[in-house]
Amino acid sequence: MSSHSPPNDLVLFHYVFSPYARRIVWYLQLRRIPYAQCLVPSYMPRAPLAELNVSYRRIPVLAHGREIYCDTRLILSTLDKLFPPSEKYPGLEPQTAEAKALTKLLIRYTGDAGIFARGASLIPTNMPVLKDEKWVKDREQFSGRKLTIEAREKGRPESLVHMRDLFVLMEHTLLADGRQWVLGDNPSVTDIEAVWVLHWMTTMRGALGTYITEKEFPKTFAYVKRFDTETKKARGEMEKPVTLKDDQTVEAILRMSLDAAVKEEVDSSDPTGLRKGEEIEMWPIDSGFSHKDEGELVGLSADEMIIRKQAKGKELRIHYPRWGFRIARAGDKAHL
Ligand SMILES: N[C@@H](CCC(=O)N[C@@H](CS)C(=O)NCC(=O)O)C(=O)O
């Protein structure tokens, strides 16, 4: 294997302090799935993604060969399909119907119901990143809101109260009986959905102030530490990710194949009425919405939309989930 051949054809675009990206890094570690990574800046522009003609601006993004997957929920479900549980790659999927439902609802709660956004508003105002004008401008464009220090300070009490709700949920329900992991004896993807915001908040000095403490939430703080130890142990037991430079990343991805297992099917009963081969635009609804990917619609189901694009004369396919995203005919102003 040359150093430019990503293990398992996987390249993860991320930056190390992205809480969303950690969800994927932990998943790959806990399952011992080797991968390559391309470390990108924490704000735009991101040259290798631009060269690949990917407009989506959020992190992480996962390339599997020339298939580009956006959004952690779609990335996780795709990895589940690509790597069914085996001795080599132990499974993390919840098994019972209740556990599957809990897992889905946890990400709706932490992601869509705003716990992550509350966390972002709790980044202490003395953090260097909030003094970096480029970063602040970038995030204002990303969220569509002004990010002044005064507004952040003013919003802090409300955000702390909302954040506390997550700690109460963990301490007094999911971990109340003293269990090690949400589903019992072993870590699962349900723990990733439960822990990611907790981990981010408890490891960021000053984020929680004196309102949310280890003294009041001992089981929850111990759980986060246990998860951290477990993922570090897993990391030590697997191949280190291969880190590719920007040009190596673009070259490696364009040299790999499209995945023959990806079906180009457009559901004819889809309520949008869109048809295969139409030129469409797709974009996220909640943040990063000014970056739209345009291309030929080749796949549409209740869970996923797929377009075909060209990058440097090569075809690639970009995959978005349906949840939290919008799709429309290119140039159709009616949806704006
Ligand atoms: N729903 C998305 C959210 C991803 C997200 O918001 N990521 C943050 C980083 S943690 C981001 O992209 N921030 C703006 C940026 O890095 O450009 C997912 O599940 O992947």
Side-chain angles (χ1 to χ4, degrees):
M1 188 188 79
S2 98
S3 63
H4 299 191
S5 297
N8 293 311
D9 291 353
L10 295 176
V11 184
L12 181 66
F13 293 87
H14 70 127
Y15 49 91
V16 284
F17 60 86
S18 157
Y20 269 105
R22 277 198 207 126
R23 292 157 47 71
I24 307 302
V25 170
W26 287 330
Y27 175 99
L28 292 164
Q29 287 172 344
L30 290 173
R31 296 202 59 197
R32 320 290 200 267
I33 300 174
Y35 62 100
Q37 61 183 357
C38 175
L39 297 171
V40 293
S42 65
Y43 47 77
M44 301 293 279
R46 297 184 176 123
L49 286 163
E51 276 196 58
L52 290 168
N53 200 7
V54 175
S55 303
Y56 183 76
R57 67 142 301 169
R58 303 197 300 198
I59 291 297
V61 168
L62 181 76
H64 174 239
R66 272 187 281 136
E67 309 288 344
I68 313 287
Y69 293 90
C70 302
D71 195 274
T72 55
R73 292 160 289 198
L74 181 63
I75 294 173
L76 290 175
S77 60
T78 300
L79 286 168
D80 281 346
K81 281 187 216 137
L82 290 172
F83 301 93
S86 64
E87 214 170 300
K88 200 168 163 201
Y89 304 133
L92 281 183
E93 282 182 73
Q95 297 305 316
T96 67
E98 286 91 342
K100 286 181 188 165
L102 173 64
T103 310
K104 185 167 179 171
L105 294 175
L106 274 171
I107 183 61
R108 300 284 195 258
Y109 170 62
T110 52
D112 303 304
I115 295 287
F116 169 79
R118 293 293 180 180
S121 74
L122 289 174
I123 298 175
T125 47
N126 61 3
M127 286 277 274
V129 80
L130 288 173
K131 304 213 168 82
D132 180 339
E133 265 178 43
K134 273 202 212 144
W135 190 88
V136 171
K137 239 178 136 193
D138 179 83
R139 288 309 195 268
E140 287 184 342
Q141 195 251 12
F142 176 69
S143 65
R145 271 180 283 129
K146 275 261 162 245
L147 264 188
T148 63
I149 301 275
E150 298 71 39
R152 293 180 67 81
E153 291 290 1
K154 213 167 151 214
R156 202 174 151 74
E158 191 182 282
S159 289
L160 277 170
V161 173
H162 282 76
M163 183 57 68
R164 197 167 188 281
D165 193 71
L166 170 64
F167 283 77
V168 170
L169 176 80
M170 297 306 293
E171 193 77 16
H172 299 306
T173 64
L174 295 179
L175 302 173
D177 64 5
R179 63 183 57 207
Q180 300 280 294
W181 306 105
V182 172
L183 298 183
D185 297 335
N186 296 302
S188 67
V189 87
T190 318
D191 292 294
I192 294 179
E193 303 302 13
V195 86
W196 68 289
V197 176
L198 296 170
H199 187 281
W200 182 39
M201 287 288 102
T202 55
T203 53
M204 189 189 300
R205 194 192 291 258
L208 299 175
T210 51
Y211 186 62
I212 300 172
T213 63
E214 184 161 3
K215 197 156 171 254
E216 194 185 350
F217 299 103
K219 291 188 179 114
T220 308
F221 276 75
Y223 167 70
V224 177
K225 283 186 197 137
R226 192 177 310 123
F227 184 87
D228 192 60
T229 307
E230 191 74 15
T231 49
K232 285 198 174 119
K233 187 172 135 238
R235 189 175 67 193
E237 288 170 4
M238 69 182 282
E239 267 175 43
K240 263 183 108 179
V242 179
T243 301
L244 301 178
K245 297 200 178 84
D246 288 2
D247 54 342
Q248 294 171 337
T249 303
V250 174
E251 186 268 331
I253 289 176
L254 293 179
R255 192 166 21 84
M256 292 189 288
S257 328
L258 289 168
D259 181 354
V262 168
K263 293 203 179 69
E264 294 202 349
E265 283 172 358
V266 171
D267 177 1
S268 58
S269 68
D270 193 86
T272 60
L274 291 167
R275 296 280 172 259
K276 195 167 172 189
E278 285 196 77
E279 193 69 11
I280 64 102
E281 288 178 316
M282 50 186 196
W283 68 98
I285 298 168
D286 51 352
S287 62
F289 28 72
S290 57
H291 292 249
K292 301 181 177 183
D293 275 294
E294 183 173 340
E296 178 195 348
L297 183 65
V298 293
L300 190 65
S301 67
D303 301 320
E304 191 173 350
M305 40 211 195
I306 313 173
I307 59 170
R308 197 195 321 277
K309 268 195 175 189
Q310 301 286 324
K312 299 189 157 206
K314 283 270 178 94
E315 185 178 305
L316 44 82
R317 289 188 289 223
I318 303 190
H319 303 241
Y320 279 18
R322 292 300 289 275
W323 183 268
F325 288 77
R326 194 160 288 159
I327 184 168
R329 282 187 187 91
D332 178 0
K333 295 284 173 253
H335 58 76
L336 295 176

